[in-house]
Amino acid sequence: MENRSFYNEILTEHNVRPEFKHDLPDADIVLEGVNPSCGDDIFLKLKTDGDTITDGAFVGDGCAISQASADIMLGMIVGKKKEEALQMGKIFMKMIKGDASEEEIDSLEEASALRDIAHMPARVKCAVLGWRTLKEALLGEDADDDDDEDGDSEPDYESLWRPVRNGLQSIQIRRVFHTHIDKNTRCFL
C-alpha cells in the first residue's frame, strides 16, 4: 500500500505542477497527439540540435494520467539522443504491456509509477499518448515500420487498446509540422 501511495504522489505532483507544460515557441518539431476516448489532446514540442533533444514541452488538455505521463516523459528525454529517447519509449511500452523486466522498469525512474496502468485497460491510451506522439515526432512516417534490435517488427500498439475499443477510435496522431533545417543547405525539408 505504501508503494502505491508513493506512485500516486508522483503522478499527482506531475499533474498539479508539471515542469514541462508550457509553450516552446522555438521548437523545431511540433506534433499533436489525440486520445478521443478520453478527450486528451496534447501538442508535443521538441527543440533539437542534431541528434540531441535539447528542450521539450507540451501544451494541451487531458486527464491526470496523460498530463503526468507526458511531463514525466519530457523530464526523461530532454538532454538525451533521439535514439535513447526512442529506446526509453520501447521500454515504457513493454512495461505497459507487462513484458518489461524489473531492471527495465527501474530504468524508467518516475515513469515506473505508471506500471499498474497495464491493469486498467481504459487508461492505457492516456498513459502512452505522450510516448506514442514522441515516437511519431522523431520517426515521422517510419514510426509504424521501424524494427527493434532483434530484427522483428515492433508490436502493433493498437493491440494495447483492443480490450477497450468498443467502437471508439484509437489515439490519433496529427502531424502539425515537423521542420528540419539541413545545416549544409540551409533549407527547410
Side-chain angles (χ1 to χ4, degrees), residues 31 77 111:
L31 194 64
I77 67 165

Side-chain angles (χ1 to χ4, degrees), residues 54-67:
T54 58
D55 202 359
F58 75 101
V59 294
D61 298 307
C63 69
I65 291 173
S66 71
Q67 302 294 288

Side-chain angles (χ1 to χ4, degrees), residues 34-37 93 97 121 124-125 128 132 135 144 154-173:
V34 178
N35 172 7
S37 66
M93 291 298 188
K97 290 174 57 181
V124 167
K125 287 187 208 179
V128 302
R132 188 161 181 197
K135 181 180 177 188
D144 294 327
E154 189 166 319
D156 174 15
Y157 292 132
E158 269 313 291
S159 66
L160 292 171
W161 304 298
R162 284 194 181 117
V164 296
R165 289 190 78 181
N166 296 331
L168 298 175
Q169 296 172 318
S170 64
I171 290 177
Q172 301 169 356
I173 305 296

Side-chain angles (χ1 to χ4, degrees), residues 20-40:
F20 294 95
K21 187 173 183 178
H22 57 82
D23 195 20
L24 189 62
D26 58 344
D28 49 6
I29 300 173
V30 175
L31 194 64
E32 181 181 25
V34 178
N35 172 7
S37 66
C38 190
D40 304 320

Side-chain angles (χ1 to χ4, degrees), residues 53-125:
I53 300 167
T54 58
D55 202 359
F58 75 101
V59 294
D61 298 307
C63 69
I65 291 173
S66 71
Q67 302 294 288
S69 183
D71 194 59
I72 291 168
M73 176 195 72
L74 283 161
M76 293 173 64
I77 67 165
V78 170
K80 303 284 188 204
K81 300 280 186 195
K82 293 176 185 177
E83 200 54 45
E84 290 176 278
L86 290 169
Q87 183 60 33
M88 287 179 200
K90 285 181 181 182
I91 294 170
F92 185 83
M93 291 298 188
K94 281 178 68 176
M95 178 186 73
I96 294 298
K97 290 174 57 181
D99 296 337
S101 69
E102 282 301 317
E103 184 179 312
E104 288 174 317
I105 292 170
D106 289 344
S107 75
L108 292 174
E109 300 170 358
E110 285 187 326
S112 67
L114 293 157
R115 76 187 302 171
D116 288 335
I117 295 297
H119 304 296
M120 297 176 265
R123 308 309 283 169
V124 167
K125 287 187 208 179

